[in-house]
Amino acid sequence: MEKTNIIIADDHLMFIEGINTILKNMDEIGEVHIATEGKQVIRLLSQFKIGLIISDISMPKMDGIELLTEIKKKHKDVKIIMLSMLDNHRTVHKVIQKGADGFVPKFTSKEELQKAVRSVLNDEQYFSELIKQRYMESVFERKKYKNIELSPREKDVLALLGEELTSKEISEKLFISVNTVETHRKNILLKTGSKTTTGAVRFAIESGLFD
């Protein structure tokens, strides 16, 4: 049986050791390389022949989603399974849309992780039942907002409101008057049914506007 060299990426060494213990005796696994942040994974890919990456989402310098995007753009033959304590539907939706080959929670069982690895190495996708449930929640959430349309300028204003800029700062950045910014802000609140700017920003996140 041909063995696959892998990278385990996580900023907690104890977690890496735990994953390594689970996988090292699998017949399918060859060399195991470790990385504590995304940019280190990129360097390892240039040095070794890697077939699979198992990566956490929350990492310094380059997080798991940025890494996933980079892998699918420049190393399309490399499989990637995401692991995370974050199972909210927005994170799950983003990971799946970015092309992850698998996604399981960090608290998954030894047996499920091994099953996920074998499935992905056999050119199948693997998403745990909880992840599939969260994905369906994200699809449902986005359907609620599909008939709400913001103009390009309203989207610009909302994005800057999400960065906590004041109306004056937004007016200077977009080269429009403060009154125009306030008009856009009122229209955004009206269209999204929000009472506050925070509510409008939440709408943008849940509808995928900032993805």
Side-chain angles (χ1 to χ4, degrees):
M1 175 184 292
E2 183 178 355
K3 293 182 179 290
T4 300
N5 298 330
I6 71 171
I7 298 173
I8 303 172
D10 194 287
D11 57 340
H12 295 94
L13 289 175
M14 286 184 64
F15 185 78
I16 289 179
E17 290 172 4
I19 296 297
N20 189 24
T21 299
I22 291 172
L23 301 182
K24 68 180 181 180
N25 293 324
M26 291 179 63
D27 294 336
E28 299 89 344
I29 302 301
E31 298 175 359
V32 177
H33 302 272
I34 64 171
T36 55
E37 47 97 358
K39 291 185 178 180
Q40 190 177 357
V41 173
I42 301 301
R43 290 195 294 271
L44 288 170
L45 284 170
S46 68
Q47 298 171 10
F48 303 98
K49 182 181 179 182
I50 303 296
L52 173 66
I53 298 167
I54 299 173
S55 175
D56 186 19
I57 288 180
S58 301
M59 292 188 296
K61 297 183 182 178
M62 175 188 279
D63 67 26
I65 292 177
E66 290 177 289
L67 175 63
L68 170 61
T69 304
E70 181 81 2
I71 296 302
K72 291 304 175 182
K73 185 184 299 182
K74 297 182 179 179
H75 304 274
K76 295 182 180 179
D77 56 331
V78 178
K79 309 288 187 182
I80 183 163
I81 296 174
M82 305 304 296
L83 297 173
S84 181
M85 293 298 292
L86 303 173
D87 65 347
N88 67 76
H89 61 263
R90 289 186 291 275
T91 300
V92 170
H93 190 279
K94 185 175 291 188
V95 167
I96 292 177
Q97 291 300 308
K98 293 288 185 181
D101 299 284
F103 191 178
V104 295
K106 268 191 168 182
F107 50 80
T108 195
S109 66
K110 166 186 173 181
E111 289 75 19
E112 182 167 45
L113 180 58
Q114 291 178 335
K115 183 178 180 181
V117 168
R118 289 194 174 99
S119 296
V120 169
L121 291 180
N122 285 326
D123 295 322
E124 302 170 6
Q125 290 184 318
Y126 187 91
F127 303 105
S128 72
E129 288 302 317
L130 177 62
I131 296 302
K132 287 190 280 189
Q133 179 183 336
R134 294 292 182 266
Y135 183 72
M136 292 309 299
E137 289 173 3
S138 76
V139 171
F140 176 76
E141 194 74 26
R142 286 164 188 251
K143 281 183 179 179
K144 291 197 305 185
Y145 300 118
K146 70 177 182 180
N147 294 322
I148 299 175
E149 293 186 5
L150 300 181
S151 70
R153 181 58 83 192
E154 287 168 346
K155 290 179 181 179
D156 292 339
V157 170
L158 183 53
L160 294 174
L161 288 171
E163 295 176 13
E164 299 186 345
L165 270 65
T166 65
S167 293
K168 185 175 186 301
E169 290 169 331
I170 293 173
S171 72
E172 293 171 351
K173 199 171 186 69
L174 297 180
F175 304 103
I176 57 179
S177 70
V178 173
N179 285 339
T180 300
V181 174
E182 284 301 307
T183 298
H184 285 312
R185 188 179 69 81
K186 290 175 183 176
N187 287 338
I188 291 167
L189 295 180
L190 182 64
K191 287 182 177 182
T192 62
S194 305
K195 294 181 180 179
T196 64
T197 299
T198 301
V201 172
R202 180 182 176 187
F203 152 81
I205 294 171
E206 293 184 346
S207 64
L209 184 63
F210 291 161
D211 287 355

